[in-house]
Amino acid sequence: EDLLWWWKQYDPSIHYMGLTAIDFQNCDLSSFLNLKVYINPGGEAYDQLVDLGPIGTQNIISFVHRDQDVTPSAYIGFCAGGYIAAHDFIWESVYEGVDYYDLVNNPPLSLIPHTVEGSIVDINDDQYGDQYASKYRLVNVSNNQQMLYYGGSTFGYNGVDPYADPNSESYDSDLEILIFYTDFYGYCSPNIPAAWKYKNIIATSVHPEADNCTHTQDSDCPPAHTMPLSTILQNRAWLCTHINNISQSSFLIPPVSI
């Protein structure tokens, strides 16, 4: 919401609204021809799937899969939104295994036809936190920026194939890595994605939309000044540029000093 509020201040033609799980079950998103983008925030992916239910998930799928030549649409998923966009996901497989969640009865959207895995415990363990019990970490990514990591998914890391690697038997040419982690084991690793694109879908492991805390501090929330304002705004401008591209829209992006 902060991202969209910031964007709307510069381009008043942008209109947005939040939907509850009940809204999703009663709203045929695909019938709204001026609706360009659906953004799924972070949170608890499995709980989101349960709340959406079969009708809610189908309404999102129908919106994303409508005729792109007539009424373009796009899906943007941050963290949990990346998990639920996948075919399925493995959650900290070293601990729980692949059957930890009941994905048979509460399947992800399968907008991207691949498995993802997380959290990336070598960056930060979303279940247990770091040695200070903090569940976030500011990480370096390959567009020379820093973004907030908070337990997001990836592939080509532990138990999932590197689908974007041309040398992999599972290579998918429709899958494009937008940014990857550069402080993962201390070197650039193009098979450890931080954000990726698949047709009219963008999924992120990091939080390019994120701000610092604006409420009572806890271990799950980065305190004030964790990210400089310039970093926050540059991340948002990067994200908005990709949203425009993938949704075939031309909303004005606030000028940001690089």
Side-chain angles (χ1 to χ4, degrees):
E1 186 173 344
D2 287 343
L3 164 74
L4 297 172
W5 176 86
W6 168 77
W7 203 354
K8 182 175 176 61
Q9 303 314 295
Y10 193 72
D11 188 341
S13 70
I14 294 175
H15 298 278
Y16 64 92
M17 66 184 303
L19 300 178
T20 67
I22 294 176
D23 291 333
F24 277 108
Q25 292 157 19
N26 292 283
C27 181
D28 178 10
L29 297 178
S30 63
S31 67
F32 291 85
L33 304 185
N34 287 328
L35 180 60
K36 301 285 188 182
V37 183
Y38 167 67
I39 297 178
N40 197 102
E44 171 50 64
Y46 186 69
D47 288 350
Q48 290 181 8
L49 290 171
V50 173
D51 289 343
L52 284 170
I55 296 175
T57 55
Q58 186 55 54
N59 282 336
I60 297 174
I61 293 169
S62 296
F63 168 72
V64 177
H65 286 169
R66 72 186 182 185
D67 190 337
Q68 298 300 295
D69 293 330
V70 178
T71 49
S73 62
Y75 175 101
I76 314 296
F78 310 132
C79 199
Y83 280 102
I84 74 170
H87 178 268
D88 55 6
F89 56 83
I90 300 173
W91 176 251
E92 297 196 3
S93 58
V94 67
Y95 303 117
E96 287 93 9
V98 298
D99 298 321
Y100 185 66
Y101 292 112
D102 183 12
L103 298 183
V104 173
N105 292 313
N106 297 287
L109 304 176
S110 201
L111 298 172
I112 301 174
H114 299 296
T115 303
V116 295
E117 58 183 327
S119 63
I120 307 172
V121 295
D122 293 279
I123 293 179
N124 205 6
D125 187 335
D126 184 70
Q127 183 165 344
Y128 300 107
D130 63 12
Q131 63 267 40
Y132 306 106
S134 295
K135 293 190 175 183
Y136 63 86
R137 180 183 166 195
L138 199 59
V139 295
N140 299 312
V141 290
S142 59
N143 65 347
N144 297 317
Q145 284 297 109
Q146 289 189 315
M147 296 185 183
L148 188 69
Y149 179 77
Y150 203 139
S153 65
T154 192
F155 43 88
Y157 160 60
N158 184 17
V160 176
D161 291 340
Y163 311 115
D165 183 354
N167 296 317
S168 170
E169 293 182 358
S170 303
Y171 175 60
D172 185 340
S173 60
D174 286 327
L175 197 61
E176 176 189 350
I177 298 178
L178 301 179
I179 49 173
F180 51 88
Y181 294 102
T182 58
D183 62 345
F184 189 85
Y185 294 127
Y187 65 94
C188 294
S189 182
N191 66 334
I192 308 296
W196 51 95
K197 179 172 76 75
Y198 183 84
K199 298 180 180 179
N200 60 329
I201 301 148
I202 289 176
T204 76
S205 175
V206 287
H207 283 271
E209 86 290 2
D211 203 340
N212 295 311
C213 276
T214 55
H215 55 79
T216 303
Q217 175 62 34
D218 59 40
S219 63
D220 290 353
C221 183
H225 311 301
T226 297
M227 290 187 292
L229 179 61
S230 59
T231 296
I232 294 169
L233 298 184
Q234 287 168 24
N235 288 343
R236 290 180 176 179
W238 173 88
L239 173 61
C240 291
T241 299
H242 281 292
I243 291 176
N244 265 345
N245 289 341
I246 204 168
S247 63
Q248 303 181 49
S249 57
S250 56
F251 295 117
L252 300 177
I253 299 174
V256 172
S257 177
I258 303 299

